[in-house]
């Protein structure tokens, strides 16, 4: 297979993966909209939310595949500007999806505790500022 044909194939596969990402995200947003519209709290809502989470994980996996395909296409044609831009945007979408799926990171409490313990110690020694 020629380099150009392989490049086009990788680019086409990446576009397919990105379209699959859009489908998965639309499905998960539709499921979440339905669960938010449902006022009653019962087991059906929990299964819908877990289904939306699964859809997000599937979208993340498809986006990972798209990034891989764009990297391979970029490797085959390193001077193709359009592919590099698509790779950059695909990496940004991937990192945002990963951050959305992971949720917020917990704030570390050790630094506060260390400062607090030192301030108490200095207060007890009469060296408080």
């Amino acid at each position: 297979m020629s380099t150009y044909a392989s490049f086009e194939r990788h680019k086409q596969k990446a576009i397919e993966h990105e379209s699959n990402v859009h489908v998965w995200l639309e499905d998960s947003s539709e499921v979440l909209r339905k669960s938010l519209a449902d006022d009653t709290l019962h087991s059906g809502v929990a299964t819908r939310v877990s289904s939306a989470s699964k859809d997000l994980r599937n979208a993340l996996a498809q986006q990972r595949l798209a990034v891989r395909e764009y990297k391979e296409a970029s490797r085959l044609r390193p001077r193709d500007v359009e592919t590099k831009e698509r790779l950059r945007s695909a990496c940004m979408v991937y990192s945002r999806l990963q951050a959305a799926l992971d949720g917020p990171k917990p704030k570390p409490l050790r630094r506060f505790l260390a400062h607090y313990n030192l301030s108490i110690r200095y207060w007890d020694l009469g060296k408080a500022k």
Side-chain angles (χ1 to χ4, degrees):
M1 181 179 282
S2 71
T3 306
Y4 182 74
S6 182
F7 166 74
E8 287 296 324
R9 188 183 59 136
H10 285 295
K11 209 161 105 171
Q12 187 61 34
K13 290 296 275 184
I15 291 170
E16 286 177 23
H17 290 306
E18 282 189 327
S19 67
N20 288 342
V21 167
H22 293 298
V23 169
W24 283 111
L25 289 177
E26 287 173 2
D27 288 348
S28 67
S29 66
E30 181 180 333
V31 166
L32 286 176
R33 247 185 269 125
K34 284 181 182 178
S35 66
L36 290 176
D38 190 15
D39 292 336
T40 61
L41 296 174
H42 50 82
S43 64
V45 174
T47 57
R48 287 184 198 154
V49 171
S50 68
S51 173
S53 175
K54 182 179 178 184
D55 289 347
L56 278 176
R57 287 193 306 272
N58 287 334
L60 184 69
Q62 288 294 312
Q63 188 65 31
R64 187 180 309 126
L65 291 174
V67 167
R68 183 183 297 167
E69 293 291 339
Y70 278 131
K71 280 183 182 177
E72 185 62 24
S74 179
R75 185 190 67 79
L76 291 171
R77 297 277 172 157
R79 292 185 179 93
D80 190 30
V81 177
E82 179 190 357
T83 305
K84 290 214 181 248
E85 288 175 0
R86 284 181 177 238
L87 173 62
R88 193 173 303 117
S89 68
C91 286
M92 283 184 9
V93 169
Y94 176 73
S95 64
R96 287 181 183 163
L97 279 175
Q98 183 71 39
L101 196 60
D102 290 343
K105 290 185 177 179
K107 303 273 189 224
L109 193 61
R110 284 183 166 234
R111 184 175 292 168
F112 170 75
L113 283 178
H115 176 72
Y116 181 74
N117 288 338
L118 279 177
S119 64
I120 296 292
R121 179 175 165 216
Y122 286 134
W123 181 270
D124 289 343
L125 291 175
K127 299 179 181 178
K129 290 185 180 181

